[in-house]
Amino acid sequence: MSIEVNDKFYAKSSDEAIAEAGEYGGAVTTLLKYLLKAGIVDAVLAVESGADLYDAVPILIEDPEDVIKASGSLHFGTLNLAKVVERYLDGAQDMKLAVTVKGCDAMTMVELMKRERVNADNVIMIGLNCGGTMPPVKGRQMMEDFYEVDPDSVVKEEIAKGKLIVETEDGTEKEIPIDDLEEEGFGRRTNCRRCEVNIPKMADLACGNWGVIGPLAGKATFIEVNSPKGAEVLEKAQEAGVIDLEAPIPKGIEIREKIDGAMVRLADKWQDKDWEDKTGREIFSVLSEYMDDFSRCLKCYGCREACPICYCDDCCLEANNGPDWLSKGEVPPSPMFHLERMLHMVESCTNCGQCEEVCPGEIPLAKIWHEVNAKIKDQFGYTKGVEEGKPPIAYFPFPQPASK
Amino acid sequence: MEIKYVPTICPYCGVGCGMNLVVKDDKVVGVEPWKRHPVNEGKLCPKGNFCYEIIHRDDRLTTPLIKENGEFREASWDEALDLVASKLKAYDPNEIGFFACARSPNENIYVNQKFARVVVGTQNIDHCARLCHGPTVAGLAASFGSGAMTNSYESFEHADLIFSIGANSLEAHPLVGRRLMRAKANGAYFIVADPRYTPTAKQSDQYVPFKTGTDVALMNAMMNVIISEGLEDKEFIEKRTKNYEELKELVSKYTPEMAAEITQVPADVIRDIAIKYAKADKAAIVYSLGITEHSHGVDNVQQTANLAMLTGNIGRLGTGVNPLRGQNNVQGACDMGALPSDYPGYQKVIDEDISERFTVTWECKDLVCTPGLKIPEMIDSAAKGDLKVLYITGEDPVISDPDTNHVEEALNNLDFFVVQDIFMTDTAKFADVVLPAACWAEQEGTFTNGERRVQLIRKAVDPPGEAKVDWEIYGELAKRMGANPEAFNYSSAQDIFEEVRTVTPQYAGMNRERLERPEALHWPCPTEEHPGTAMMHVEKFAHPDGLGIFSPLEEQGPKEVPDEEYPLLLTTTRILFHYHAAMTRRADTLDREVPTGYVEINTEDAEELGIINNEKVKVKSRRGEIEIPARVTPDILKGIVNIPMHFRECSANVLTNASAIDPRSGMPEYKACAVSIAKMEGSK
């Protein structure tokens, strides 16, 4: 069967055992395994659980038999894999790589590809729908305080129909509306709440469980093909007989769109709530609004270290070269530290939340930069993380001359 | 290609943050957040973020070195260890001293003190807690029966009020500073008492500048106010303490007015903070070297205990007496008995029964029941020529000990000097033999952080060249010195830890499985069923009768005070970007951030002396003189100057006073001595 961009399928592994054991038919596991076995990629970058299911660790898989280690969704996995690709895998310059990506991972990868820090030709992005992830330590506290279970007894967590469902090892399940948890300051990370990119359409394939209804409900993955590369991968996998594809039930497609729409509206609600229209998104208003927060900065460089867009070997923030516009060894550093970093990366800021998560000063960085990025979209018409356009502060948007 | 994330603990301060070391092709290439870690949730300070930068440096020690004709030459392990063993055998045990490494894992420290006691037969083993929280260990043991932080870091977030004295947490213990900020965001009232307007003070709700060395008077006056206002916790005092009447009588003399004269804190401010502290439902005290590094350090510590007992602020979340330990494993070094007066688990050397029990457990000759020498005593003794052999592991007294000239004189005077370290430090240069050691990223083991949490570290890469893990080195020496082969025949760090559990009651319940969890265990943890103790003294104190003891204390003040010849008071501190010297000054990012030292001098004082910012000046004390750039700032009290202690080329410790010692703990008075400052010759 010839597969085209925009095609949609219900997918599951042709292998009964994997279809049973894997989540929603083990489709993603099967694709990743296939890509390795067929030599289409040299390695797969995914996420596995470390100390326990609250501890997400990147895993670079070269042996197809190891793919199973990364199976299953990890709602406490809050990392941005784009950082790993750019920093530790040399931006995939010398290797063919498949990466499992949430919306934020995928958008950041696209921004890095535009800046030629990741080799787009060498990367296949297997997108995973994401409604948001949760911080691990706070998540454990949430289990104790709200679910009244020992966090170590939790074997599975799932977000469905606006509820966080938690299953413990004795088989019992408890569900609490995400809204209720988030009103109390628990639930998803604050940046995730504002995120509108639940279906990663910028990845080559977008995979999830929304919209799988009928006999395959719970047993198959909804796959949307977003690129020729994605189409080719799916076609080859099908030809190799490792994956079963069927047309989705039309009502299911509708349902998937409805859920996505609801999530986007929820994200917009959180954006309004978080930003409260206080700054009008103007840079100096933002600086003024958050000055007290910036004063808690310890110049740990954590935000810069964690941000995938901060890839410069010779960083303008460091006190080694250039004029003394950023005095050395000052705590807190001048507000210029943040403005300078902002100017360099904010157009590509995907609200992945890494900066805010690692800040010991508890500065709401993602909230601040996300708002400024929204302004860039208003002002320059540039949407981060999608194929079209180039970051408007780093590049002049000269239109291509019409071909003769 | 292999990328591995190795979860471990930071090698710098006593907060004990978790982190991932990223290993690629057998090299540590970066640090990534370990968000699962309960202490810091993936957040790090600049030291932690760049700790990987020192691991693979070219100047790591990789072979043993022997000094010949004033120069070091490479030697084989056999030659070096044979030499060291022969020297250790040739001298009387009383002539030999050991400094243990408070940055090394518990397993290494345990074997170090066992080697000193069992093989060499000396009780002369000590470590740098002597120079930082020795007063905490002594003071809180006397007041509460246990010399450690009473609560956990997380407990701070539950406080209604936090009283910080002698601590600059945002710089020195950043991820505890975060807890204080979170407490503040939760509504806690944050008071910071400090002679300097530090980054932490700048975040406070109330900053109380006060004169260095007047902590006892300040806290006595606070207690005076609390009692005269009737705000003391009568029930707590009645049920859980003794010696209250003695305390009440003494503090009655310390009216706010009287204390105002001494401390430079206005009387109404003293009243204000005392009443606020007493009225808060849950009030926590946090302190660090600002109060311990004094000739009356134990007194200062006991004052914090007095305040807490007076107001019933013990044994509940959001309360407690919370000293912030310095080194990543100084708590462990104390727990492991690297102390001249204590065996592992704070069991006393002078107790004959205990000494006998250890003699049996360790299957050795009778252990001496007399406490050995403390670090300052070992230095003095070496200078005099009584201590002849010194074996230092991972410690840099030329940087860290007071009166550098005296330290160098002492080291030069030794007959034989061994330094075991990861770099050629300023101290190692004086050695006769240098032994290359593995760093924290190159071994398995455990660190114990300041909240008594015992945490696993994990090996990320192999040590460079021929460098060995500390316990292996002591084991090799033990063999050469004819020790019982079974006593030092360990197969792994875990093997050592199992022995530690049998002799250290506080660690007894810590099996491997339980330590593998990121939460690990807080001691005391006496059995495998015991959940560990995040919060101490909940029902009773650790004294046999369960009662806390009030200690009435008079204000002594610093030993060496400013006079006409030396009119300024010198205090010494640490900054955020450096942890002492050997490691952070070799981390490129941190070195670039702060490449050298400075003397902070108050704006008015600078004007009087005609000194401008960044101008190089001479600072002189009775011990020595240095040249150092001036940092003119309003953020320090007039009459007080400050020099961070990290920089050998302008070393604070050339000036500090090694003869101002706390008699109850052996602590030198780093925080106060008298200096004069002058412009360089020929400058305008």
Side-chain angles (χ1 to χ4, degrees), chain A residues 52 55 58 62 78 88-89 140 152 295 298-301 318 320 328-329 354 357-360 362, chain B residues 1 5 22 24 32 34-36 43-44 46 49-50 170 174 178 182 203 517 519 576 589 592-593:
Chain A
D52 51 30
D55 184 24
E62 288 176 320
T78 62
Y88 299 115
L89 300 178
R140 288 175 62 86
D152 289 325
S295 80
L298 298 179
K299 210 177 187 187
C300 70
Y301 289 99
E318 282 204 46
N320 54 323
K328 302 180 194 206
Q354 301 305 301
E357 257 192 295
V358 300
C359 177
E362 308 262 313
Chain B
M1 183 189 288
Y5 275 37
V22 183
K24 183 178 171 182
E32 288 295 313
W34 187 15
K35 297 171 184 174
R36 171 68 180 84
K43 300 157 195 273
L44 293 169
N49 271 323
F50 302 109
L170 284 178
R178 169 183 172 246
R182 283 169 65 84
Q203 296 293 334
R517 298 181 64 248
E519 280 69 27
L576 170 64
T589 306
R592 281 195 295 265
E593 196 69 39

Short mmCIF file of all heavy atoms in Angstrom, two decimals, chain A residues 52 55 58 62 78 88-89 140 152 295 298-301 318 320 328-329 354 357-360 362, chain B residues 1 5 22 24 32 34-36 43-44 46 49-50 170 174 178 182 203 517 519 576 589 592-593:
data_model
loop_
_atom_site.label_atom_id
_atom_site.label_comp_id
_atom_site.label_asym_id
_atom_site.label_seq_id
_atom_site.Cartn_x
_atom_site.Cartn_y
_atom_site.Cartn_z
N ASP A 52 13.13 4.45 39.37
CA ASP A 52 11.74 3.99 39.42
C ASP A 52 10.95 4.76 38.36
O ASP A 52 11.55 5.48 37.55
CB ASP A 52 11.13 4.19 40.82
CG ASP A 52 11.31 5.60 41.34
OD1 ASP A 52 11.37 6.55 40.54
OD2 ASP A 52 11.41 5.78 42.57
N ASP A 55 11.61 8.46 37.62
CA ASP A 55 12.98 8.84 37.25
C ASP A 55 13.20 8.52 35.78
O ASP A 55 13.43 7.38 35.40
CB ASP A 55 13.96 8.04 38.13
CG ASP A 55 15.40 8.43 37.90
OD1 ASP A 55 15.66 9.55 37.44
OD2 ASP A 55 16.28 7.59 38.20
N PRO A 58 17.44 9.25 29.61
CA PRO A 58 17.56 8.98 28.17
C PRO A 58 18.31 7.67 27.96
O PRO A 58 19.21 7.34 28.74
CB PRO A 58 18.37 10.16 27.63
CG PRO A 58 18.52 11.12 28.74
CD PRO A 58 18.21 10.43 30.01
N GLU A 62 21.10 0.63 20.57
CA GLU A 62 21.65 0.15 19.29
C GLU A 62 21.17 -1.27 19.00
O GLU A 62 21.14 -1.69 17.84
CB GLU A 62 23.18 0.20 19.33
CG GLU A 62 23.70 1.63 19.27
CD GLU A 62 25.22 1.73 19.39
OE1 GLU A 62 25.82 1.00 20.19
OE2 GLU A 62 25.80 2.56 18.67
N THR A 78 10.32 14.43 32.21
CA THR A 78 10.18 15.84 31.86
C THR A 78 11.33 16.37 31.03
O THR A 78 11.47 17.58 30.87
CB THR A 78 10.09 16.69 33.14
OG1 THR A 78 11.31 16.53 33.88
CG2 THR A 78 8.94 16.24 34.02
N TYR A 88 25.20 15.72 23.16
CA TYR A 88 25.96 14.49 23.37
C TYR A 88 26.06 13.61 22.12
O TYR A 88 26.89 12.72 22.07
CB TYR A 88 25.36 13.69 24.53
CG TYR A 88 25.40 14.45 25.83
CD1 TYR A 88 24.24 14.85 26.47
CD2 TYR A 88 26.63 14.81 26.41
CE1 TYR A 88 24.29 15.58 27.65
CE2 TYR A 88 26.67 15.54 27.58
CZ TYR A 88 25.50 15.93 28.20
OH TYR A 88 25.55 16.65 29.37
N LEU A 89 25.19 13.85 21.13
CA LEU A 89 25.23 13.04 19.92
C LEU A 89 25.66 13.89 18.72
O LEU A 89 25.39 13.51 17.57
CB LEU A 89 23.86 12.40 19.67
CG LEU A 89 23.38 11.47 20.79
CD1 LEU A 89 22.00 10.90 20.48
CD2 LEU A 89 24.36 10.32 21.00
N ARG A 140 5.48 12.49 43.52
CA ARG A 140 5.44 11.50 44.61
C ARG A 140 4.65 12.05 45.79
O ARG A 140 3.87 11.35 46.43
CB ARG A 140 6.86 11.14 45.05
CG ARG A 140 7.60 10.28 44.04
CD ARG A 140 9.05 10.04 44.45
NE ARG A 140 9.16 9.34 45.70
CZ ARG A 140 9.14 8.03 45.83
NH1 ARG A 140 8.99 7.25 44.78
NH2 ARG A 140 9.27 7.48 47.04
N ASP A 152 5.76 4.42 45.98
CA ASP A 152 6.50 3.29 45.45
C ASP A 152 5.59 2.14 45.04
O ASP A 152 6.02 1.20 44.38
CB ASP A 152 7.52 2.78 46.47
CG ASP A 152 8.67 3.77 46.64
OD1 ASP A 152 9.05 4.40 45.64
OD2 ASP A 152 9.16 3.91 47.77
N SER A 295 16.15 38.58 40.91
CA SER A 295 17.11 38.90 41.98
C SER A 295 17.51 37.67 42.78
O SER A 295 18.47 37.69 43.53
CB SER A 295 16.53 39.95 42.95
OG SER A 295 15.64 39.32 43.87
N LEU A 298 21.26 32.74 41.05
CA LEU A 298 22.56 32.38 41.62
C LEU A 298 23.63 32.21 40.55
O LEU A 298 24.70 31.67 40.82
CB LEU A 298 22.44 31.08 42.41
CG LEU A 298 21.51 31.07 43.61
CD1 LEU A 298 21.51 29.70 44.26
CD2 LEU A 298 21.94 32.11 44.63
N LYS A 299 23.34 32.60 39.33
CA LYS A 299 24.29 32.45 38.23
C LYS A 299 24.85 31.03 38.19
O LYS A 299 26.04 30.81 38.01
CB LYS A 299 25.45 33.46 38.35
CG LYS A 299 26.01 33.85 36.98
CD LYS A 299 27.10 34.90 37.07
CE LYS A 299 27.49 35.37 35.68
NZ LYS A 299 28.65 36.27 35.71
N CYS A 300 23.96 30.06 38.34
CA CYS A 300 24.39 28.66 38.28
C CYS A 300 24.58 28.23 36.83
O CYS A 300 25.12 27.16 36.57
CB CYS A 300 23.38 27.76 38.97
SG CYS A 300 21.82 27.60 38.10
N TYR A 301 24.09 29.03 35.89
CA TYR A 301 24.12 28.71 34.46
C TYR A 301 23.24 27.50 34.13
O TYR A 301 23.30 26.98 33.03
CB TYR A 301 25.55 28.42 33.96
CG TYR A 301 26.45 29.63 33.88
CD1 TYR A 301 27.36 29.90 34.90
CD2 TYR A 301 26.40 30.50 32.80
CE1 TYR A 301 28.20 31.01 34.83
CE2 TYR A 301 27.24 31.60 32.72
CZ TYR A 301 28.14 31.86 33.74
OH TYR A 301 28.97 32.95 33.67
N GLU A 318 29.45 34.18 29.53
CA GLU A 318 30.54 33.80 30.42
C GLU A 318 31.55 34.91 30.53
O GLU A 318 31.71 35.73 29.64
CB GLU A 318 31.19 32.51 29.91
CG GLU A 318 30.34 31.32 30.26
CD GLU A 318 31.14 30.06 30.32
OE1 GLU A 318 32.22 30.10 30.94
OE2 GLU A 318 30.70 29.05 29.76
N ASN A 320 34.60 35.24 30.32
CA ASN A 320 35.96 35.02 29.85
C ASN A 320 36.38 35.96 28.72
O ASN A 320 37.55 36.18 28.50
CB ASN A 320 36.15 33.58 29.37
CG ASN A 320 35.11 33.18 28.33
OD1 ASN A 320 33.96 33.59 28.42
ND2 ASN A 320 35.49 32.41 27.35
N LYS A 328 31.91 39.72 36.56
CA LYS A 328 32.22 38.36 36.98
C LYS A 328 31.81 38.14 38.42
O LYS A 328 31.89 39.05 39.25
CB LYS A 328 33.74 38.13 36.90
CG LYS A 328 34.32 38.34 35.53
CD LYS A 328 35.83 38.10 35.55
CE LYS A 328 36.44 38.64 34.28
NZ LYS A 328 37.68 37.95 33.93
N GLY A 329 31.45 36.92 38.71
CA GLY A 329 31.29 36.49 40.10
C GLY A 329 30.28 37.24 40.93
O GLY A 329 30.36 37.24 42.14
N GLN A 354 12.60 23.28 30.59
CA GLN A 354 13.83 22.80 31.23
C GLN A 354 14.46 23.87 32.12
O GLN A 354 14.91 23.60 33.23
CB GLN A 354 14.85 22.35 30.18
CG GLN A 354 14.36 21.23 29.27
CD GLN A 354 13.89 20.04 30.05
OE1 GLN A 354 14.65 19.44 30.82
NE2 GLN A 354 12.62 19.68 29.90
N GLU A 357 12.66 24.30 35.38
CA GLU A 357 12.80 23.12 36.24
C GLU A 357 14.13 23.09 36.95
O GLU A 357 14.24 22.62 38.08
CB GLU A 357 12.68 21.85 35.40
CG GLU A 357 11.35 21.16 35.54
CD GLU A 357 11.37 19.77 34.93
OE1 GLU A 357 11.54 19.69 33.70
OE2 GLU A 357 11.23 18.80 35.69
N VAL A 358 15.22 23.55 36.30
CA VAL A 358 16.53 23.44 36.92
C VAL A 358 16.93 24.68 37.71
O VAL A 358 18.03 24.73 38.25
CB VAL A 358 17.63 23.11 35.89
CG1 VAL A 358 17.33 21.80 35.19
CG2 VAL A 358 17.84 24.24 34.92
N CYS A 359 16.08 25.69 37.77
CA CYS A 359 16.48 26.93 38.43
C CYS A 359 16.39 26.82 39.94
O CYS A 359 15.31 26.67 40.49
CB CYS A 359 15.59 28.08 37.95
SG CYS A 359 15.96 29.64 38.80
N PRO A 360 17.54 26.93 40.65
CA PRO A 360 17.49 26.85 42.11
C PRO A 360 16.81 28.08 42.73
O PRO A 360 16.36 28.03 43.86
CB PRO A 360 18.96 26.77 42.54
CG PRO A 360 19.77 27.08 41.35
CD PRO A 360 18.92 27.08 40.16
N GLU A 362 14.11 29.34 41.71
CA GLU A 362 12.67 29.23 41.45
C GLU A 362 12.16 30.45 40.67
O GLU A 362 11.10 30.98 40.95
CB GLU A 362 11.89 29.08 42.76
CG GLU A 362 12.40 27.96 43.66
CD GLU A 362 11.62 26.66 43.53
OE1 GLU A 362 10.39 26.73 43.56
OE2 GLU A 362 12.26 25.60 43.43
N MET B 1 28.36 3.33 19.90
CA MET B 1 28.41 4.53 20.75
C MET B 1 27.61 4.28 22.01
O MET B 1 26.54 3.69 21.95
CB MET B 1 27.80 5.72 19.98
CG MET B 1 27.90 7.01 20.78
SD MET B 1 26.99 8.38 20.07
CE MET B 1 27.98 8.79 18.66
N TYR B 5 24.01 7.70 31.72
CA TYR B 5 23.78 8.66 32.80
C TYR B 5 24.06 7.94 34.11
O TYR B 5 23.42 6.94 34.41
CB TYR B 5 22.32 9.13 32.79
CG TYR B 5 21.99 10.27 31.85
CD1 TYR B 5 22.58 10.39 30.60
CD2 TYR B 5 21.04 11.23 32.21
CE1 TYR B 5 22.25 11.45 29.75
CE2 TYR B 5 20.69 12.28 31.36
CZ TYR B 5 21.32 12.39 30.14
OH TYR B 5 20.99 13.42 29.30
N VAL B 22 27.31 12.39 32.86
CA VAL B 22 27.10 11.81 31.53
C VAL B 22 28.42 11.23 31.05
O VAL B 22 29.42 11.95 30.95
CB VAL B 22 26.58 12.86 30.53
CG1 VAL B 22 26.30 12.21 29.19
CG2 VAL B 22 25.33 13.53 31.08
N LYS B 24 30.48 9.32 28.08
CA LYS B 24 30.51 8.97 26.65
C LYS B 24 31.92 8.52 26.33
O LYS B 24 32.87 9.24 26.63
CB LYS B 24 30.13 10.20 25.82
CG LYS B 24 30.06 9.95 24.33
CD LYS B 24 29.63 11.23 23.60
CE LYS B 24 29.78 11.05 22.10
NZ LYS B 24 29.43 12.25 21.34
N GLU B 32 24.06 16.28 33.92
CA GLU B 32 22.65 16.49 33.59
C GLU B 32 21.81 16.37 34.86
O GLU B 32 22.17 15.65 35.78
CB GLU B 32 22.16 15.46 32.56
CG GLU B 32 22.73 15.69 31.16
CD GLU B 32 22.26 16.98 30.51
OE1 GLU B 32 21.06 17.27 30.55
OE2 GLU B 32 23.11 17.71 29.96
N TRP B 34 19.31 15.43 37.76
CA TRP B 34 18.64 14.22 38.26
C TRP B 34 17.40 14.71 39.00
O TRP B 34 17.42 14.93 40.20
CB TRP B 34 19.57 13.43 39.18
CG TRP B 34 19.02 12.09 39.58
CD1 TRP B 34 17.97 11.42 39.02
CD2 TRP B 34 19.49 11.25 40.63
NE1 TRP B 34 17.76 10.22 39.65
CE2 TRP B 34 18.69 10.08 40.65
CE3 TRP B 34 20.54 11.35 41.56
CZ2 TRP B 34 18.88 9.04 41.56
CZ3 TRP B 34 20.74 10.31 42.46
CH2 TRP B 34 19.92 9.16 42.46
N LYS B 35 16.33 14.91 38.23
CA LYS B 35 15.16 15.57 38.78
C LYS B 35 14.45 14.74 39.83
O LYS B 35 13.67 15.28 40.61
CB LYS B 35 14.19 15.94 37.65
CG LYS B 35 14.82 16.93 36.67
CD LYS B 35 13.99 17.14 35.44
CE LYS B 35 14.72 18.07 34.46
NZ LYS B 35 13.99 18.19 33.18
N ARG B 36 14.73 13.47 39.84
CA ARG B 36 14.10 12.55 40.80
C ARG B 36 14.65 12.72 42.21
O ARG B 36 14.10 12.21 43.17
CB ARG B 36 14.34 11.12 40.30
CG ARG B 36 13.97 9.99 41.23
CD ARG B 36 12.49 9.90 41.43
NE ARG B 36 12.17 8.82 42.33
CZ ARG B 36 12.19 8.90 43.66
NH1 ARG B 36 12.54 10.05 44.23
NH2 ARG B 36 11.91 7.85 44.40
N LYS B 43 18.07 20.51 40.44
CA LYS B 43 18.67 21.85 40.41
C LYS B 43 20.07 21.79 41.01
O LYS B 43 20.34 21.00 41.90
CB LYS B 43 17.79 22.81 41.22
CG LYS B 43 16.37 22.92 40.65
CD LYS B 43 15.36 23.39 41.69
CE LYS B 43 13.94 23.16 41.26
NZ LYS B 43 13.39 24.28 40.45
N LEU B 44 20.97 22.62 40.51
CA LEU B 44 22.34 22.62 41.01
C LEU B 44 22.86 24.05 41.09
O LEU B 44 22.34 24.95 40.45
CB LEU B 44 23.25 21.81 40.08
CG LEU B 44 23.00 20.31 40.01
CD1 LEU B 44 23.78 19.71 38.86
CD2 LEU B 44 23.37 19.62 41.31
N PRO B 46 26.39 26.64 40.58
CA PRO B 46 27.40 26.61 39.52
C PRO B 46 28.51 25.59 39.77
O PRO B 46 29.05 25.01 38.84
CB PRO B 46 27.95 28.05 39.50
CG PRO B 46 27.45 28.71 40.72
CD PRO B 46 26.22 28.00 41.15
N ASN B 49 27.16 22.22 38.61
CA ASN B 49 26.96 22.16 37.16
C ASN B 49 28.25 21.91 36.41
O ASN B 49 28.22 21.33 35.32
CB ASN B 49 26.31 23.45 36.66
CG ASN B 49 24.78 23.37 36.70
OD1 ASN B 49 24.21 22.33 36.43
ND2 ASN B 49 24.13 24.47 37.03
N PHE B 50 29.37 22.35 36.99
CA PHE B 50 30.63 22.22 36.25
C PHE B 50 31.63 21.30 36.94
O PHE B 50 32.82 21.33 36.64
CB PHE B 50 31.22 23.61 35.98
CG PHE B 50 30.26 24.49 35.22
CD1 PHE B 50 29.62 25.56 35.83
CD2 PHE B 50 29.96 24.20 33.90
CE1 PHE B 50 28.70 26.34 35.13
CE2 PHE B 50 29.04 24.97 33.19
CZ PHE B 50 28.42 26.04 33.80
N LEU B 170 22.36 31.19 50.51
CA LEU B 170 22.23 31.27 49.05
C LEU B 170 23.58 31.14 48.37
O LEU B 170 23.66 30.68 47.24
CB LEU B 170 21.54 32.57 48.62
CG LEU B 170 20.03 32.56 48.84
CD1 LEU B 170 19.42 33.90 48.44
CD2 LEU B 170 19.36 31.45 48.05
N PRO B 174 23.52 26.59 48.42
CA PRO B 174 22.47 27.15 47.57
C PRO B 174 21.16 26.35 47.54
O PRO B 174 20.08 26.94 47.55
CB PRO B 174 23.11 27.16 46.17
CG PRO B 174 24.58 27.22 46.45
CD PRO B 174 24.80 26.45 47.70
N ARG B 178 17.50 27.59 48.63
CA ARG B 178 16.23 27.45 47.89
C ARG B 178 15.09 27.09 48.82
O ARG B 178 13.97 27.61 48.70
CB ARG B 178 16.39 26.37 46.82
CG ARG B 178 15.07 25.96 46.18
CD ARG B 178 15.25 24.83 45.19
NE ARG B 178 13.95 24.37 44.74
CZ ARG B 178 13.44 23.16 45.00
NH1 ARG B 178 14.14 22.30 45.71
NH2 ARG B 178 12.26 22.83 44.56
N ARG B 182 11.68 29.10 49.44
CA ARG B 182 10.36 28.48 49.30
C ARG B 182 9.55 28.69 50.58
O ARG B 182 8.35 28.95 50.52
CB ARG B 182 10.50 27.00 48.96
CG ARG B 182 10.87 26.75 47.51
CD ARG B 182 11.26 25.31 47.27
NE ARG B 182 10.16 24.38 47.46
CZ ARG B 182 9.25 24.09 46.54
NH1 ARG B 182 9.30 24.65 45.36
NH2 ARG B 182 8.29 23.23 46.80
N GLN B 203 17.69 38.87 50.45
CA GLN B 203 16.39 38.25 50.21
C GLN B 203 15.55 38.16 51.49
O GLN B 203 14.47 37.59 51.47
CB GLN B 203 16.57 36.83 49.64
CG GLN B 203 17.23 36.79 48.28
CD GLN B 203 16.37 37.40 47.19
OE1 GLN B 203 15.15 37.43 47.30
NE2 GLN B 203 17.01 37.90 46.16
N ARG B 517 17.47 3.37 46.97
CA ARG B 517 16.38 4.29 46.67
C ARG B 517 16.89 5.73 46.70
O ARG B 517 17.70 6.06 47.57
CB ARG B 517 15.26 4.12 47.72
CG ARG B 517 14.64 2.74 47.73
CD ARG B 517 13.53 2.64 48.78
NE ARG B 517 12.42 3.53 48.47
CZ ARG B 517 12.08 4.61 49.19
NH1 ARG B 517 12.78 4.95 50.25
NH2 ARG B 517 11.07 5.35 48.84
N GLU B 519 15.71 8.29 47.94
CA GLU B 519 15.49 8.89 49.27
C GLU B 519 16.55 8.42 50.26
O GLU B 519 16.83 9.11 51.24
CB GLU B 519 14.10 8.53 49.81
CG GLU B 519 12.96 9.38 49.25
CD GLU B 519 12.67 9.10 47.80
OE1 GLU B 519 12.94 7.98 47.34
OE2 GLU B 519 12.19 10.02 47.10
N LEU B 576 30.21 31.69 46.41
CA LEU B 576 29.38 30.71 45.72
C LEU B 576 30.16 29.88 44.72
O LEU B 576 29.96 28.68 44.57
CB LEU B 576 28.24 31.44 45.00
CG LEU B 576 27.40 30.62 44.02
CD1 LEU B 576 26.65 29.52 44.75
CD2 LEU B 576 26.42 31.53 43.31
N THR B 589 35.19 26.93 33.95
CA THR B 589 34.08 27.89 34.01
C THR B 589 34.11 28.67 35.33
O THR B 589 33.90 29.87 35.35
CB THR B 589 32.73 27.16 33.87
OG1 THR B 589 32.76 26.37 32.68
CG2 THR B 589 31.58 28.14 33.80
N ARG B 592 37.17 31.09 35.51
CA ARG B 592 36.94 32.31 34.74
C ARG B 592 36.01 33.26 35.48
O ARG B 592 36.17 34.47 35.44
CB ARG B 592 36.29 31.96 33.39
CG ARG B 592 37.26 31.44 32.35
CD ARG B 592 36.60 31.47 30.99
NE ARG B 592 35.47 30.57 30.89
CZ ARG B 592 35.53 29.33 30.41
NH1 ARG B 592 36.67 28.84 29.99
NH2 ARG B 592 34.44 28.58 30.35
N GLU B 593 35.04 32.68 36.17
CA GLU B 593 34.05 33.51 36.86
C GLU B 593 34.72 34.31 37.98
O GLU B 593 34.49 35.50 38.13
CB GLU B 593 32.95 32.60 37.43
CG GLU B 593 31.68 33.30 37.82
CD GLU B 593 30.89 33.85 36.64
OE1 GLU B 593 30.81 33.19 35.60
OE2 GLU B 593 30.37 34.97 36.78
#
